[in-house]
């Protein structure tokens, strides 16, 4: 997926790719897993774009936006026999939905507690990148329309800065998986006192 696109545009493209590659005869299990890996890496980036409370409440009208791709991804992983990955993806979709429902503290909030300047910069660049990728939103913000070349250059600079910030944050101790699905090794500790059965409806 082209890195210069906004997270939401890249997510939509990745979902389309995954849907297509999952259908025979277009692809195999390995290709489908690769496509859904992109989907699940982008999903939290879109869900956690520093949305205020009212933005999270609006998201409740379409909870399937977060849950459906995760369920589809988990189904592909199960079919491929990769059960650890399936569990990670199921949990990612569940966690995003419940966090939206309960307005729980986001990973960006956790970052702000320790590194407020970095968290604020991440939110600023995230919002600016989304606005740059949506001209109608940009005009509502009162921004002057620039030439196509200038817009493209500014958009590319924002995308580059966004990736730099993600890389920087993920080098910090405790934030290695910032906006990434929780890994199986961490999830398995929940079952140390007994079995846990997870059902995936897709």
């Amino acid at each position: 997926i082209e890195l210069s696109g906004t997270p939401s545009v890249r997510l939509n493209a990745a979902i389309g790719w995954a849907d297509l590659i999952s259908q025979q005869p277009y692809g195999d299990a390995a290709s489908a897993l690769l496509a859904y890996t992109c989907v699940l890496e982008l999903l939290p980036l879109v869900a956690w774009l520093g949305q205020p409370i009212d933005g999270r409440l609006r998201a409740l009208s379409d909870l399937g936006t977060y849950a459906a791709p995760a369920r589809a991804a988990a189904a592909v992983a199960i079919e491929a026999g990769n059960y650890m990955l399936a569990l990670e993806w199921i949990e990612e979709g569940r966690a995003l939905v419940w966090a939206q429902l309960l307005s729980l503290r986001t990973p960006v909030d956790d970052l702000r507690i320790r590194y407020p300047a970095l968290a604020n910069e991440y939110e600023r660049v995230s919002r600016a990148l989304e606005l740059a990728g949506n001209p109608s939103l940009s005009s509502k913000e009162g921004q002057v329309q620039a030439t196509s070349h200038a817009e493209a250059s500014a958009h590319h600079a924002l995308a580059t800065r966004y990736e730099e910030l993600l890389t920087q944050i993920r080098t910090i101790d405790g934030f290695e998986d910032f906006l990434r699905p929780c890994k199986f090794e961490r999830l398995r500790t929940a079952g140390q006192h007994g079995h846990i059965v997870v059902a995936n409806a897709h």
Side-chain angles (χ1 to χ4, degrees):
I1 302 298
E2 173 56 50
L3 294 182
S4 63
T6 68
S8 56
V9 168
R10 290 160 58 194
L11 175 61
N12 288 333
I15 290 174
W17 173 32
D19 287 343
L20 180 63
I21 209 71
S22 298
Q23 302 172 24
Q24 296 296 335
Y26 297 110
D28 53 23
S31 298
L33 287 176
L34 176 61
Y36 275 112
T37 295
C38 289
V39 171
L40 269 293
E41 287 180 352
L42 289 164
L43 196 60
L45 299 183
V46 174
W48 299 129
L49 282 176
Q51 294 188 63
I53 295 296
D54 60 341
R56 297 182 206 173
L57 292 176
R58 284 196 299 272
L60 297 182
S61 63
D62 191 17
L63 291 178
T65 299
Y66 304 137
R71 289 196 300 265
V76 169
I78 291 170
E79 187 175 3
N82 194 333
Y83 304 117
M84 290 186 292
L85 183 60
L87 181 61
E88 291 175 6
W89 286 351
I90 290 172
E91 175 62 17
E92 178 67 9
R94 185 203 68 80
L96 287 171
V97 168
W98 279 103
Q100 292 291 333
L101 275 170
L102 302 176
S103 294
L104 297 177
R105 192 172 71 199
T106 73
V108 178
D109 295 326
D110 291 332
L111 179 67
R112 183 175 289 106
I113 292 173
R114 291 175 55 187
Y115 304 96
L118 184 57
N120 290 338
E121 174 70 357
Y122 172 78
E123 284 193 338
R124 183 192 69 78
V125 173
S126 296
R127 291 187 179 124
L129 184 58
E130 282 299 313
L131 287 173
N134 191 327
S136 62
L137 289 178
S138 297
S139 61
K140 290 179 181 179
E141 293 287 324
Q143 297 180 4
V144 178
Q145 295 298 316
T147 64
S148 297
H149 180 71
E151 287 178 345
S153 297
H155 194 164
H156 182 73
L158 282 171
T160 300
R161 178 58 179 155
Y162 182 82
E163 294 298 327
E164 289 173 350
L165 285 169
L166 271 182
T167 300
Q168 179 183 352
I169 292 169
R170 288 170 177 170
T171 61
I172 299 173
D173 185 37
F175 290 90
E176 296 85 352
D177 294 322
F178 179 75
L179 297 179
R180 283 174 171 156
C182 185
K183 297 301 182 184
F184 175 77
E185 289 305 315
R186 181 178 170 191
L187 292 173
R188 71 185 303 178
T189 61
Q192 58 186 329
H193 300 300
H195 296 295
I196 295 176
V197 177
V198 179
N200 184 57
H202 173 67

